[in-house]
Amino acid sequence: MSQTVSAQPKGLELYGSSSRREPLRATGKRARALAKLGIESIQDLFQHFPRYHVDRRELRMIRDLARLAEEGHDGDVQVHAKVKKIGPPIRIRNSKRTMIKGKIGDESGEIDVTWFNQNWISTRLKPGVEGFFYGRLGTFRGKLQMTAPRFELIRDGKEPFNVGRIIPIYPATADLSSDQLRRLLWEALAKRPEILDPLPGELARRLSLVPRGEALRSIHFPDTREDVLRARNRLVFDEVFTLQLGLVYRKRLLERTVQGISHPMPDEDSLAETFVRALPFELTRAQHRACEEVAGDLNQKYPMHRLIEGEVGSGKTVVALYACLMAIDNGHQAAFMAPTEVLAEQHHLTVNELLDRAFGSEESRNLFAGLSKRPTVRLLTGSTPAAQREQVLNEVAFGDVDLLLGTHALIQDAVEFYRLGVAIVDEQHRFGVHQRKRLREKAAVGEPDVLVMTATPIPRTLAVSIYGDLDLSILDELPKGRRPISTELAVGDADRERAYQLIRDEVASGRQAFIVYALRDESDRSELRSAKSEAKRIAEDLFPDLRVGLVHGDMKSADKEAAMSRFRSGETQVLVATTVVEVGVDVPNATVMLVEDADRFGLAQLHQLRGRIGRGEHQSYCVLATDLDLDRGDTDPAIGLVRERLGSVASTRDGFKLAMVDLKQRGEGQLFGARQSGMPQLKIARVLEHQETVKQARDMAVRILDEDPELRAYEHQALAREMRDRFPDETLDVVQSG
Ligand code: ADP
Ligand code: MG
């Protein structure tokens, strides 16, 4: 019955699995140098794509160089010349550097050449030697010269390799130059006339894509600039296409095969709707939409896998609770995992408060046992006392707890649910894949519905590239009535003094303030000293008349919670803190945040921190203090980055915009990093730059899988194989969430 049609592989498979990859025939030092670049097979070598290309097709006459320089030619020039003079390396005065000076010439004229710190050149170049020289034009003491030109000498009979062509420049190492890589590629390509093209011909034609073999040849050895563009188009498409094929396939497979729990849609009297009616505010349109999407998912027979992306303060928690209540209404339990104790405790407070409004307090439930619909909520963290923990675990196992909130403590072995129906992961990027998976596995029967949430939002078109196997809800709207936060940079002591005055003024009118200190270094515990000693200075010298509190990560849990509740109650007016307050502090009366050494924080972190203020009806102020001289950003790229980071936080509260700046600064690798396992590497595609191609690839993937869900058709065999090869072992068959 089983009819396996296998496409005859024609030629070399670019993304072959490990068993089909052809090892490189390199040994010793060469092999080590290649391995350093991640090249171990022919396939790796072919996919060692150039960083960029330089056009060396045009040869210049030396006579013309002066005019070119005058016209402001920037970029390399290339001449065919003979060495006329070459000096020995000479030590530059007052410096460790050496310099070689020489002269090259062709029939039209001569030009000076100089190299720095390249003593070997004096042994390679002798007067009379002929070759091609390419480099940048410059002037020294008013005289035209070529600075540090690279060259290729003409030896008898051998055709020059790097001249008269468009030359790819490869990521290289000290032991293996771009030119050497180019030679290896030349030899390897010459030996392999056929390269498998897995795209059905009709599709390639419709998208005007060149064949893969041609693309591969042209990216490494183009004849024209158009060759490079066409090659790049095709190779980028291939990468994002198999990626999308895999993501969509994974999602569909899950929907077809994994048994989930179908919860009834909530009606008027349901817990979820009663809860929404009792909220002290109206849901935003975005929250409404997200709740509807979640309800639709929970109603399906297969498990929900949804990501909620939302601004800091956009009200994700309410949507998550809506999901929990739908499951609870249907006799299931809900788990809600947060990355820090402070956040878990804040959730515990908020959730109970909101549920009290809708269903009365838990105590009253005990009085009217059987009548009250009030869900039972428990908190479990690493510092829950043993006896209490024991009791919570029991209640959870017997199904007496409806909603279990907590930290990583939720995924310990000892935690067993009676009937877990929905799992929420807040701030999902702060958990590893395996932690998210373990929470899901807590369900005794059926796969639970999974909702993951993040406050570092990326636009939908981008999210498709990374989270393409999850459904996406975006909360792009802040609740009404939020007052703006004014954000300013404070550079140096005078500015800081003004920030202190601002704190005094706000506290005088009844508000509260945060002063946040940076972690100097994850491994370095000196942050504690600094927050601690600063708290002392602030309490005793700066604000002796104010009530100053301190909270940091190394405090005992009970002390931390005590410090937080003193701040919540208003007893503490100024809270000196480390980043433990980054998430999960909801004190609407706090209106000032002074971030010290703001340059040490990442962009997303600053945005999150700032989200602690502006939560109430009052105008709020955020001050980002730094001792760096930001003006030096013009010349010092590191400071330039800091300036851009702080500047963007100051100029916008739009998390999507900030996420893009962050992406630009840190590279998109981090996005894939956040997904961790189960995501193939991208070697040539840049999801930021190639969003249009991503969309096209997504559409194609959906269309093909609509027609042929298992990719069984003969013309899809090679694609299916490539898709499997690109996804790490088994990740296509395993449920991935977030
Ligand atoms: P985040 O999306 O950052 O997790 P939260 O869920 O913590 O945001 O919500 C932030 C604050 O806004 C909370 O105090 C919450 O009660 C409140 N909130 C949520 N939704 C609304 C709304 N529609 N209108 C007014 N306030 C809201
Ligand atoms: Mg939140």
Side-chain angles (χ1 to χ4, degrees), residues 545-675:
D545 47 335
L546 305 185
R547 297 186 299 274
V548 177
L550 169 69
V551 62
H552 61 71
D554 237 23
M555 275 160 81
K556 276 216 265 349
S557 208
D559 296 342
K560 224 189 303 179
E561 188 40 36
M564 288 313 303
S565 62
R566 278 196 298 276
F567 189 61
R568 271 188 205 109
S569 72
E571 185 189 328
T572 298
Q573 295 168 308
V574 178
L575 185 64
V576 178
T578 59
T579 49
V580 291
V581 298
E582 181 182 339
V583 287
V585 177
D586 193 8
V587 181
N589 192 46
T591 55
V592 190
M593 172 169 285
L594 167 60
V595 183
E596 291 285 1
D597 296 323
D599 47 278
R600 292 173 194 261
F601 292 89
L603 204 152
Q605 220 175 7
L606 288 173
H607 183 52
Q608 284 265 14
L609 274 172
R610 178 173 53 180
R612 302 309 110 207
I613 56 172
R615 299 188 146 240
E617 60 203 294
H618 310 286
Q619 163 77 41
S620 291
Y621 307 90
C622 177
V623 183
L624 306 174
T626 175
D627 290 324
L628 286 182
D629 177 6
L630 295 182
D631 289 338
R632 275 176 40 218
D634 293 335
T635 50
D636 181 336
I639 294 186
L641 287 178
V642 170
R643 185 171 64 182
E644 185 184 32
R645 213 155 60 221
L646 299 185
S648 10
V649 177
S651 65
T652 183
R653 257 180 102 190
D654 183 335
F656 287 90
K657 274 198 198 136
L658 292 174
M660 294 309 270
V661 177
D662 199 28
L663 214 55
K664 215 180 77 211
Q665 282 205 357
R666 297 202 295 151
E668 55 193 54
Q670 48 135 345
L671 280 180
F672 287 88
R675 254 347 264 276

Side-chain angles (χ1 to χ4, degrees), residues 1-281:
M1 174 69 209
S2 80
Q3 44 147 239
T4 34
V5 194
S6 58
Q8 289 304 315
K10 244 176 71 218
L12 182 99
E13 288 174 64
L14 191 53
Y15 296 103
S17 69
S18 48
S19 64
R20 282 193 303 275
R21 283 144 60 98
E22 286 185 42
L24 275 178
R25 244 177 256 138
T27 50
K29 201 172 155 213
R30 174 54 63 88
R32 281 196 299 280
L34 284 163
K36 234 193 210 163
L37 291 166
I39 304 174
E40 283 170 355
S41 64
I42 295 288
Q43 280 83 353
D44 295 336
L45 182 64
F46 286 169
Q47 288 187 80
H48 191 68
F49 294 119
R51 263 208 304 257
Y52 56 95
H53 293 80
V54 293
D55 195 341
R56 286 201 193 131
R57 283 175 304 178
E58 200 160 10
L59 271 184
R60 306 285 187 180
M61 300 304 288
I62 287 180
R63 164 184 71 217
D64 297 331
L65 296 182
R67 180 179 49 80
L68 277 175
E70 250 164 51
E71 287 168 1
H73 179 90
D74 63 343
D76 289 355
V77 294
Q78 172 172 234
V79 296
H80 176 195
K82 269 190 183 151
V83 178
K84 299 288 182 190
K85 259 198 330 213
I86 190 88
I90 42 177
R91 169 73 50 90
I92 301 172
R93 215 184 308 156
N94 298 330
S95 147
K96 287 214 174 77
R97 308 210 303 161
T98 59
M99 180 169 75
I100 291 175
K101 292 177 86 153
K103 219 182 245 308
I104 57 173
D106 60 14
E107 57 268 39
S108 75
E110 293 190 352
I111 184 168
D112 287 345
V113 283
T114 37
W115 288 272
F116 295 96
N117 288 337
Q118 297 188 67
N119 295 354
W120 58 274
I121 282 182
S122 60
T123 60
R124 282 286 292 286
L125 294 185
K126 301 286 175 209
V129 166
E130 184 181 349
F132 293 89
F133 295 79
Y134 26 84
R136 194 165 279 274
L137 286 177
T139 44
F140 182 67
R141 301 215 172 117
K143 222 174 145 205
L144 195 65
Q145 65 166 17
M146 263 174 114
T147 316
R150 294 158 31 101
F151 51 85
E152 184 168 356
L153 302 183
I154 299 174
R155 303 204 189 83
D156 359 79
K158 256 199 167 175
E159 205 191 315
F161 199 59
N162 288 324
V163 243
R165 295 188 128 269
I166 297 177
I167 308 297
I169 306 296
Y170 294 101
T173 66
D175 298 326
L176 195 59
S177 70
S178 185
D179 286 354
Q180 286 170 314
L181 280 160
R182 197 155 162 271
R183 272 176 205 282
L184 284 178
L185 270 157
W186 180 261
E187 287 159 19
L189 274 169
K191 279 195 215 122
R192 271 166 202 80
E194 288 266 32
I195 286 170
L196 176 78
D197 193 332
L199 263 201
E202 184 261 332
L203 211 156
R205 270 190 302 282
R206 181 149 25 116
L207 298 172
S208 320
L209 294 170
V210 297
R212 181 180 280 174
E214 188 184 322
L216 216 49
R217 257 165 240 287
S218 310
I219 198 83
H220 294 300
F221 296 94
D223 289 327
T224 63
R225 284 166 187 274
E226 290 69 38
D227 280 354
V228 177
L229 291 179
R230 276 193 294 266
R232 193 173 287 277
N233 272 347
R234 170 66 209 255
L235 296 166
V236 165
F237 181 83
D238 284 2
E239 269 197 348
V240 296
F241 182 55
T242 27
L243 174 69
Q244 287 304 323
L245 209 56
L247 290 172
V248 177
Y249 177 84
R250 182 147 89 188
K251 184 167 189 298
R252 298 269 174 98
L253 184 71
L254 194 96
E255 292 171 359
R256 275 202 311 277
T257 58
V258 179
Q259 185 63 45
I261 311 153
S262 168
H263 302 284
M265 290 301 269
D267 59 23
E268 280 288 285
D269 300 328
S270 62
L271 290 181
E273 287 300 326
T274 312
F275 167 76
V276 169
R277 274 200 306 277
L279 285 173
F281 43 73

Side-chain angles (χ1 to χ4, degrees), residues 281-284 287 310-318 347 350 354 426-427 455 475 479-480 482 586 612 615:
F281 43 73
E282 289 279 310
L283 290 188
T284 62
Q287 281 172 317
E311 281 289 349
V312 179
S314 59
K316 294 183 287 294
T317 319
V318 172
H347 278 328
T350 317
L354 295 177
D426 198 8
E427 308 292 341
L475 300 186
K480 273 203 289 286
R482 286 284 155 80
D586 193 8
R612 302 309 110 207
R615 299 188 146 240

